[in-house]
Amino acid sequence: MSEPATAVPSIRRSRDIPMLVERARAGDPRAVARLITLVESGDEVLPQVAAALAPYAGQAQVVGLTGSPGVGKSTTTNELVRALRARGHRVGVLAVDPSSPFTGGAILGDRVRMQDHATDPGVYIRSMSSRGHLGGLSAATPQAVRVLEGAGCDVVLVETVGVGQAEVEVASLADTTLVLLAPGMGDAIQAVKAGILEIADVFVVNKADRDGADATVRDIQGMIALGERGPGEWRPQVVRAIAARGEGIDDIAAAIDKHRGWLVEHDELRRRREARAAAEIEAIALGVLRARIGSLRDGTELPTLAARVAEGVLDPYAAADELLSQLGA
Ligand SMILES: Nc1nc2c(ncn2[C@@H]2O[C@H](COP(=O)(O)OP(=O)(O)OP(=O)(O)O)[C@@H](O)[C@H]2O)c(=O)[nH]1
Ligand SMILES: [Mg+2]
């Protein structure tokens, strides 16, 4: 009995999608916020949202900022937004928290630190968590980027917290990835351990007003020097900043521009974006498969196969094959 009750509003909502996208295109911040909420929660209308946004893909430059908690990502993002606005760009900001299913305290801090732009109609700022999304943040983030591209953003800044695998995944979705370090946090060593060195296009040694900034710059330059690079390959830049005072922001912007130029010159922009699309497709497909397998678990198929494997009538590989054939994949 409950089925029609849920089906009716969902049809009505899917009809609303083109209008919602049109309003986002026209710069209505509430429409943008609504679309990102749909993306974040893995709403069932997502395929329609994605279809409506497809024509606007690839219009924004995507810059990722990652690094340990408290290193100054939000402060730097806030200052970069200011610099980009001064150049006349429309800017989107996604503050992504891969570790928490909830929007927690850190995100509240982000809001406060990015308050400067709260009333600027040329800036969209949004926090995201992975709750509910089938493919997790690696699927949700690029779709949220598309929403911001659709809304006419020229640049999208994606802030991710921490140093770990999830951050590497999210950061690798960007055209250009900034890794922020701070003096005396052992960050340089951690970065190497977590595979951050491989994803960094630009290192920002922030909090350069503190002792040990020179040592951190030296450490990271030493590590970059150790890496093997072919001719024409990008050599990560190292920039110092005191984001809290707005110092070094022009140097960061210049390093981003330089990397952008290199990406275009070496056809790397296309390659990265195709890799991003491939990861996105894979994440969505895996999410669908996981959901279908989950539905088989509740049905008769998996329990029946499981009983046969437990009895020794069937081996688990043959059973898995049979399960997959039930998916119609
Ligand atoms: N001394 C000093 N403090 C800074 C600098 N940049 C940022 N901070 C301070 O460092 C603290 C954390 O800054 P955030 O920008 O919130 O850092 P974050 O990396 O976004 O933090 P999370 O999102 O919680 O991971 C704040 O109190 C900032 O004011 C800097 O250049 N020098
Ligand atoms: Mg932050």
Side-chain angles (χ1 to χ4, degrees):
M1 282 304 277
S2 66
E3 220 173 276
T6 52
V8 172
S10 91
I11 289 168
R12 197 185 66 225
R13 279 161 64 214
S14 74
R15 283 208 187 119
D16 289 344
I17 297 301
M19 201 185 61
L20 206 53
V21 169
E22 214 170 287
R23 277 172 44 207
R25 297 277 307 150
D28 176 353
R30 277 167 313 172
V32 175
R34 177 97 188 93
L35 285 169
I36 295 183
T37 300
L38 292 176
V39 164
E40 181 182 41
S41 60
D43 194 280
E44 62 198 27
V45 297
L46 257 190
Q48 283 102 306
V49 173
L53 289 169
Y56 314 112
Q59 290 181 2
Q61 180 180 4
V62 184
V63 177
L65 293 94
T66 191
S68 301
V71 72
K73 298 177 294 294
S74 299
T75 311
T76 304
T77 300
N78 188 51
E79 294 301 320
L80 276 174
V81 170
R82 192 190 314 283
L84 291 162
R85 290 299 290 147
R87 294 185 188 182
H89 291 307
R90 287 175 80 89
V91 186
V93 176
L94 290 173
V96 174
D97 189 348
S99 56
S100 152
F102 309 106
T103 44
I107 300 295
L108 276 179
D110 288 336
R111 290 247 172 85
V112 172
R113 267 180 276 291
M114 296 184 202
Q115 200 88 65
D116 298 5
H117 309 290
T119 55
D120 182 345
V123 181
Y124 297 101
I125 296 174
R126 179 56 190 252
S127 304
M128 279 181 74
S129 63
S130 60
R131 72 187 147 174
H133 200 288
L134 274 182
L137 277 174
S138 47
T141 308
Q143 290 171 48
V145 168
R146 282 219 189 105
V147 171
L148 293 171
E149 284 179 313
C153 292
D154 306 299
V155 183
V156 176
L157 304 173
V158 183
E159 173 187 337
T160 48
V161 185
V163 199
Q165 192 49 44
E167 294 74 17
V168 169
E169 268 174 36
V170 175
S172 65
L173 303 168
D175 299 332
T176 298
T177 299
L178 311 186
V179 171
L180 275 72
L181 310 168
M185 287 174 68
D187 265 2
I189 311 291
Q190 268 203 23
V192 174
K193 280 195 197 147
I196 289 279
L197 201 62
E198 283 82 53
I199 61 153
D201 301 305
V202 178
F203 285 99
V204 177
V205 177
N206 190 41
K207 306 197 181 184
D209 52 324
R210 293 200 175 162
D211 289 344
D214 290 338
T216 304
V217 169
R218 263 198 315 275
D219 280 355
I220 207 70
Q221 271 167 343
M223 285 180 212
I224 292 168
L226 288 177
E228 283 181 23
R229 239 161 259 109
E233 236 177 287
W234 176 254
R235 186 186 173 93
Q237 307 275 294
V238 183
V239 181
R240 277 164 200 265
I242 308 174
R245 291 192 215 142
E247 290 176 27
I249 303 304
D250 290 342
D251 295 336
I252 298 174
I256 295 171
D257 285 345
K258 189 172 175 191
H259 185 249
R260 169 86 179 178
W262 176 85
L263 286 173
V264 172
E265 190 185 331
H266 292 82
D267 200 25
E268 184 70 12
L269 191 59
R270 185 187 55 79
R271 202 195 62 74
R272 284 194 184 199
R273 287 181 169 187
E274 284 179 8
R276 188 197 306 173
E280 195 181 358
I281 298 166
E282 228 168 54
I284 293 169
L286 282 173
V288 171
L289 279 180
R290 219 172 283 129
R292 286 205 201 150
I293 287 180
S295 72
L296 289 179
R297 186 184 299 144
D298 301 335
T300 54
E301 196 54 37
L302 185 58
T304 309
L305 288 168
R308 288 166 68 200
V309 169
E311 279 166 29
V313 181
L314 191 67
D315 75 83
Y317 285 89
D321 274 344
E322 216 164 292
L323 188 68
L324 286 172
S325 72
Q326 300 294 318
L327 294 177

Short mmCIF file of all heavy atoms in Angstrom, two decimals, residues 3-46:
data_model
loop_
_atom_site.label_atom_id
_atom_site.label_comp_id
_atom_site.label_asym_id
_atom_site.label_seq_id
_atom_site.Cartn_x
_atom_site.Cartn_y
_atom_site.Cartn_z
N GLU A 3 3.54 1.81 -1.56
CA GLU A 3 4.29 2.09 -2.79
C GLU A 3 3.82 3.32 -3.58
O GLU A 3 4.64 4.18 -3.88
CB GLU A 3 4.29 0.86 -3.68
CG GLU A 3 5.65 0.66 -4.34
CD GLU A 3 5.71 -0.63 -5.09
OE1 GLU A 3 5.98 -1.67 -4.49
OE2 GLU A 3 5.44 -0.57 -6.29
N PRO A 4 2.50 3.41 -3.86
CA PRO A 4 2.08 4.59 -4.62
C PRO A 4 2.39 5.89 -3.89
O PRO A 4 2.76 6.88 -4.51
CB PRO A 4 0.56 4.42 -4.76
CG PRO A 4 0.29 2.99 -4.44
CD PRO A 4 1.39 2.54 -3.54
N ALA A 5 2.29 5.82 -2.56
CA ALA A 5 2.52 7.04 -1.77
C ALA A 5 3.94 7.58 -1.97
O ALA A 5 4.14 8.78 -2.04
CB ALA A 5 2.28 6.77 -0.29
N THR A 6 4.94 6.66 -2.11
CA THR A 6 6.30 7.15 -2.32
C THR A 6 6.56 7.44 -3.79
O THR A 6 7.36 8.30 -4.12
CB THR A 6 7.35 6.13 -1.83
OG1 THR A 6 7.06 4.87 -2.42
CG2 THR A 6 7.35 6.02 -0.31
N ALA A 7 5.88 6.70 -4.68
CA ALA A 7 6.14 6.86 -6.12
C ALA A 7 5.66 8.22 -6.64
O ALA A 7 6.34 8.84 -7.43
CB ALA A 7 5.48 5.74 -6.91
N VAL A 8 4.52 8.67 -6.14
CA VAL A 8 3.94 9.90 -6.70
C VAL A 8 4.85 11.13 -6.50
O VAL A 8 5.22 11.75 -7.47
CB VAL A 8 2.52 10.15 -6.14
CG1 VAL A 8 2.01 11.51 -6.56
CG2 VAL A 8 1.59 9.06 -6.65
N PRO A 9 5.28 11.38 -5.24
CA PRO A 9 6.15 12.56 -5.10
C PRO A 9 7.45 12.45 -5.87
O PRO A 9 7.96 13.44 -6.36
CB PRO A 9 6.41 12.64 -3.59
CG PRO A 9 5.87 11.42 -2.99
CD PRO A 9 4.94 10.78 -3.95
N SER A 10 7.98 11.21 -6.02
CA SER A 10 9.26 11.09 -6.71
C SER A 10 9.11 11.44 -8.19
O SER A 10 9.99 12.05 -8.78
CB SER A 10 9.86 9.69 -6.53
OG SER A 10 9.47 8.84 -7.57
N ILE A 11 7.96 11.08 -8.80
CA ILE A 11 7.73 11.45 -10.20
C ILE A 11 7.62 12.97 -10.31
O ILE A 11 8.22 13.60 -11.17
CB ILE A 11 6.45 10.76 -10.76
CG1 ILE A 11 6.72 9.27 -10.91
CG2 ILE A 11 6.06 11.37 -12.10
CD1 ILE A 11 5.49 8.46 -11.17
N ARG A 12 6.87 13.55 -9.36
CA ARG A 12 6.70 14.99 -9.41
C ARG A 12 8.07 15.68 -9.29
O ARG A 12 8.37 16.61 -10.00
CB ARG A 12 5.78 15.45 -8.27
CG ARG A 12 5.24 16.85 -8.49
CD ARG A 12 4.43 17.32 -7.32
NE ARG A 12 5.26 17.49 -6.15
CZ ARG A 12 4.94 17.05 -4.95
NH1 ARG A 12 3.81 16.44 -4.74
NH2 ARG A 12 5.76 17.24 -3.93
N ARG A 13 8.91 15.13 -8.38
CA ARG A 13 10.21 15.75 -8.19
C ARG A 13 11.10 15.59 -9.42
O ARG A 13 11.82 16.50 -9.77
CB ARG A 13 10.88 15.15 -6.96
CG ARG A 13 10.37 15.80 -5.69
CD ARG A 13 10.65 14.96 -4.50
NE ARG A 13 12.08 14.82 -4.28
CZ ARG A 13 12.62 13.72 -3.79
NH1 ARG A 13 11.87 12.68 -3.51
NH2 ARG A 13 13.88 13.65 -3.59
N SER A 14 11.04 14.43 -10.07
CA SER A 14 11.90 14.25 -11.24
C SER A 14 11.49 15.21 -12.36
O SER A 14 12.31 15.66 -13.13
CB SER A 14 11.88 12.80 -11.70
OG SER A 14 10.67 12.52 -12.35
N ARG A 15 10.19 15.56 -12.40
CA ARG A 15 9.74 16.56 -13.38
C ARG A 15 10.28 17.94 -13.05
O ARG A 15 10.43 18.78 -13.91
CB ARG A 15 8.21 16.62 -13.41
CG ARG A 15 7.63 15.46 -14.17
CD ARG A 15 6.28 15.86 -14.78
NE ARG A 15 5.67 14.68 -15.36
CZ ARG A 15 4.51 14.19 -14.97
NH1 ARG A 15 3.79 14.81 -14.06
NH2 ARG A 15 4.03 13.11 -15.53
N ASP A 16 10.55 18.14 -11.76
CA ASP A 16 11.05 19.44 -11.32
C ASP A 16 12.52 19.67 -11.69
O ASP A 16 13.00 20.80 -11.68
CB ASP A 16 10.94 19.59 -9.79
CG ASP A 16 9.50 19.74 -9.36
OD1 ASP A 16 8.67 20.04 -10.24
OD2 ASP A 16 9.21 19.56 -8.17
N ILE A 17 13.23 18.59 -11.99
CA ILE A 17 14.68 18.69 -12.15
C ILE A 17 15.11 19.70 -13.24
O ILE A 17 15.94 20.57 -12.96
CB ILE A 17 15.32 17.29 -12.41
CG1 ILE A 17 15.10 16.40 -11.20
CG2 ILE A 17 16.80 17.41 -12.73
CD1 ILE A 17 15.68 16.91 -9.90
N PRO A 18 14.57 19.61 -14.46
CA PRO A 18 15.02 20.58 -15.47
C PRO A 18 14.81 22.03 -15.03
O PRO A 18 15.67 22.89 -15.28
CB PRO A 18 14.15 20.26 -16.69
CG PRO A 18 13.73 18.84 -16.50
CD PRO A 18 13.59 18.66 -15.01
N MET A 19 13.70 22.27 -14.31
CA MET A 19 13.44 23.63 -13.85
C MET A 19 14.46 24.04 -12.79
O MET A 19 14.94 25.17 -12.78
CB MET A 19 12.03 23.73 -13.29
CG MET A 19 11.52 25.15 -13.28
SD MET A 19 9.92 25.30 -12.51
CE MET A 19 10.22 24.72 -10.86
N LEU A 20 14.76 23.06 -11.92
CA LEU A 20 15.75 23.32 -10.86
C LEU A 20 17.11 23.67 -11.48
O LEU A 20 17.79 24.61 -11.05
CB LEU A 20 15.86 22.07 -9.98
CG LEU A 20 16.31 22.22 -8.53
CD1 LEU A 20 15.47 23.24 -7.79
CD2 LEU A 20 16.25 20.87 -7.83
N VAL A 21 17.49 22.91 -12.51
CA VAL A 21 18.78 23.16 -13.18
C VAL A 21 18.74 24.52 -13.87
O VAL A 21 19.72 25.28 -13.81
CB VAL A 21 19.09 22.03 -14.19
CG1 VAL A 21 20.28 22.39 -15.09
CG2 VAL A 21 19.40 20.72 -13.45
N GLU A 22 17.61 24.85 -14.46
CA GLU A 22 17.48 26.16 -15.12
C GLU A 22 17.66 27.29 -14.12
O GLU A 22 18.34 28.28 -14.40
CB GLU A 22 16.10 26.25 -15.77
CG GLU A 22 16.07 27.03 -17.05
CD GLU A 22 14.72 26.86 -17.73
OE1 GLU A 22 14.46 25.76 -18.28
OE2 GLU A 22 13.93 27.80 -17.65
N ARG A 23 17.05 27.12 -12.94
CA ARG A 23 17.17 28.15 -11.91
C ARG A 23 18.61 28.25 -11.42
O ARG A 23 19.11 29.36 -11.18
CB ARG A 23 16.23 27.85 -10.74
CG ARG A 23 14.81 28.35 -11.00
CD ARG A 23 13.84 27.88 -9.93
NE ARG A 23 14.37 28.03 -8.58
CZ ARG A 23 14.01 27.26 -7.55
NH1 ARG A 23 13.11 26.30 -7.71
NH2 ARG A 23 14.53 27.45 -6.37
N ALA A 24 19.28 27.09 -11.31
CA ALA A 24 20.70 27.11 -10.91
C ALA A 24 21.53 27.82 -11.97
O ALA A 24 22.42 28.62 -11.65
CB ALA A 24 21.21 25.69 -10.68
N ARG A 25 21.22 27.57 -13.24
CA ARG A 25 21.91 28.24 -14.35
C ARG A 25 21.76 29.75 -14.26
O ARG A 25 22.65 30.50 -14.61
CB ARG A 25 21.33 27.80 -15.72
CG ARG A 25 21.48 26.35 -16.04
CD ARG A 25 22.82 26.00 -16.61
NE ARG A 25 23.24 26.77 -17.75
CZ ARG A 25 24.51 27.03 -18.03
NH1 ARG A 25 25.46 26.61 -17.23
NH2 ARG A 25 24.83 27.71 -19.10
N ALA A 26 20.57 30.16 -13.81
CA ALA A 26 20.29 31.59 -13.70
C ALA A 26 20.91 32.21 -12.44
O ALA A 26 20.80 33.41 -12.22
CB ALA A 26 18.78 31.82 -13.72
N GLY A 27 21.55 31.36 -11.64
CA GLY A 27 22.27 31.88 -10.48
C GLY A 27 21.48 31.91 -9.18
O GLY A 27 21.86 32.62 -8.25
N ASP A 28 20.40 31.12 -9.11
CA ASP A 28 19.61 31.08 -7.88
C ASP A 28 20.31 30.17 -6.86
O ASP A 28 20.40 28.95 -7.05
CB ASP A 28 18.21 30.53 -8.22
CG ASP A 28 17.34 30.35 -6.97
OD1 ASP A 28 17.85 30.52 -5.85
OD2 ASP A 28 16.15 30.03 -7.14
N PRO A 29 20.85 30.74 -5.78
CA PRO A 29 21.64 29.94 -4.83
C PRO A 29 20.82 28.83 -4.16
O PRO A 29 21.38 27.78 -3.81
CB PRO A 29 22.11 30.96 -3.79
CG PRO A 29 21.30 32.17 -3.98
CD PRO A 29 20.77 32.16 -5.39
N ARG A 30 19.51 29.04 -4.01
CA ARG A 30 18.71 27.98 -3.38
C ARG A 30 18.59 26.77 -4.29
O ARG A 30 18.57 25.63 -3.84
CB ARG A 30 17.32 28.50 -3.03
CG ARG A 30 17.31 29.26 -1.69
CD ARG A 30 16.05 30.02 -1.54
NE ARG A 30 15.77 30.76 -2.78
CZ ARG A 30 14.66 31.42 -3.05
NH1 ARG A 30 13.69 31.42 -2.18
NH2 ARG A 30 14.51 32.07 -4.19
N ALA A 31 18.52 27.01 -5.59
CA ALA A 31 18.46 25.88 -6.54
C ALA A 31 19.78 25.11 -6.54
O ALA A 31 19.79 23.88 -6.59
CB ALA A 31 18.14 26.41 -7.95
N VAL A 32 20.89 25.85 -6.45
CA VAL A 32 22.21 25.21 -6.39
C VAL A 32 22.30 24.35 -5.13
O VAL A 32 22.70 23.18 -5.18
CB VAL A 32 23.35 26.27 -6.40
CG1 VAL A 32 24.71 25.61 -6.22
CG2 VAL A 32 23.31 27.09 -7.68
N ALA A 33 21.87 24.93 -4.01
CA ALA A 33 21.93 24.21 -2.73
C ALA A 33 21.07 22.94 -2.78
O ALA A 33 21.48 21.87 -2.33
CB ALA A 33 21.46 25.12 -1.60
N ARG A 34 19.89 23.07 -3.38
CA ARG A 34 18.97 21.93 -3.47
C ARG A 34 19.59 20.81 -4.31
O ARG A 34 19.53 19.63 -3.95
CB ARG A 34 17.66 22.42 -4.09
CG ARG A 34 16.63 21.37 -4.32
CD ARG A 34 15.59 21.30 -3.19
NE ARG A 34 14.73 20.14 -3.38
CZ ARG A 34 14.96 18.96 -2.82
NH1 ARG A 34 16.01 18.76 -2.05
NH2 ARG A 34 14.13 17.95 -3.03
N LEU A 35 20.19 21.17 -5.43
CA LEU A 35 20.81 20.17 -6.32
C LEU A 35 21.95 19.46 -5.60
O LEU A 35 22.10 18.24 -5.71
CB LEU A 35 21.31 20.83 -7.60
CG LEU A 35 20.22 21.21 -8.62
CD1 LEU A 35 20.79 22.09 -9.73
CD2 LEU A 35 19.57 19.96 -9.23
N ILE A 36 22.76 20.22 -4.87
CA ILE A 36 23.88 19.57 -4.17
C ILE A 36 23.35 18.65 -3.07
O ILE A 36 23.89 17.57 -2.84
CB ILE A 36 24.89 20.61 -3.63
CG1 ILE A 36 25.53 21.32 -4.82
CG2 ILE A 36 25.97 19.93 -2.77
CD1 ILE A 36 26.60 22.34 -4.46
N THR A 37 22.27 19.04 -2.42
CA THR A 37 21.66 18.16 -1.42
C THR A 37 21.20 16.85 -2.06
O THR A 37 21.40 15.77 -1.50
CB THR A 37 20.47 18.86 -0.73
OG1 THR A 37 20.96 20.04 -0.09
CG2 THR A 37 19.83 17.96 0.31
N LEU A 38 20.61 16.94 -3.25
CA LEU A 38 20.17 15.72 -3.95
C LEU A 38 21.36 14.83 -4.25
O LEU A 38 21.32 13.61 -4.08
CB LEU A 38 19.46 16.09 -5.27
CG LEU A 38 18.11 16.81 -5.14
CD1 LEU A 38 17.58 17.19 -6.51
CD2 LEU A 38 17.10 15.92 -4.42
N VAL A 39 22.47 15.45 -4.68
CA VAL A 39 23.69 14.71 -5.00
C VAL A 39 24.25 14.04 -3.75
O VAL A 39 24.57 12.86 -3.73
CB VAL A 39 24.76 15.67 -5.59
CG1 VAL A 39 26.13 15.04 -5.56
CG2 VAL A 39 24.38 16.07 -7.02
N GLU A 40 24.32 14.83 -2.69
CA GLU A 40 24.94 14.37 -1.45
C GLU A 40 24.17 13.21 -0.83
O GLU A 40 24.75 12.27 -0.30
CB GLU A 40 24.96 15.56 -0.47
CG GLU A 40 25.57 15.27 0.86
CD GLU A 40 25.48 16.50 1.76
OE1 GLU A 40 24.42 17.17 1.76
OE2 GLU A 40 26.45 16.78 2.44
N SER A 41 22.85 13.27 -0.91
CA SER A 41 22.05 12.25 -0.25
C SER A 41 21.82 11.04 -1.16
O SER A 41 21.16 10.09 -0.77
CB SER A 41 20.71 12.85 0.18
OG SER A 41 20.04 13.33 -0.96
N GLY A 42 22.37 11.09 -2.38
CA GLY A 42 22.20 9.96 -3.29
C GLY A 42 20.73 9.76 -3.65
O GLY A 42 20.25 8.65 -3.79
N ASP A 43 20.02 10.85 -3.83
CA ASP A 43 18.60 10.81 -4.13
C ASP A 43 18.33 10.01 -5.41
O ASP A 43 19.17 9.97 -6.32
CB ASP A 43 18.07 12.23 -4.29
CG ASP A 43 16.57 12.30 -4.27
OD1 ASP A 43 15.94 12.02 -5.31
OD2 ASP A 43 16.02 12.62 -3.20
N GLU A 44 17.15 9.41 -5.47
CA GLU A 44 16.83 8.57 -6.64
C GLU A 44 16.68 9.38 -7.94
O GLU A 44 16.72 8.81 -9.03
CB GLU A 44 15.55 7.77 -6.37
CG GLU A 44 14.33 8.66 -6.14
CD GLU A 44 13.19 7.90 -5.46
OE1 GLU A 44 13.50 6.93 -4.75
OE2 GLU A 44 12.04 8.29 -5.66
N VAL A 45 16.53 10.69 -7.82
CA VAL A 45 16.44 11.51 -9.05
C VAL A 45 17.83 11.87 -9.61
O VAL A 45 17.93 12.58 -10.61
CB VAL A 45 15.61 12.81 -8.86
CG1 VAL A 45 14.18 12.48 -8.50
CG2 VAL A 45 16.24 13.73 -7.83
N LEU A 46 18.89 11.37 -8.94
CA LEU A 46 20.25 11.71 -9.38
C LEU A 46 20.51 11.49 -10.87
O LEU A 46 21.13 12.34 -11.51
CB LEU A 46 21.28 10.89 -8.58
CG LEU A 46 22.01 11.61 -7.47
CD1 LEU A 46 23.14 10.76 -6.94
CD2 LEU A 46 22.56 12.93 -7.99
#
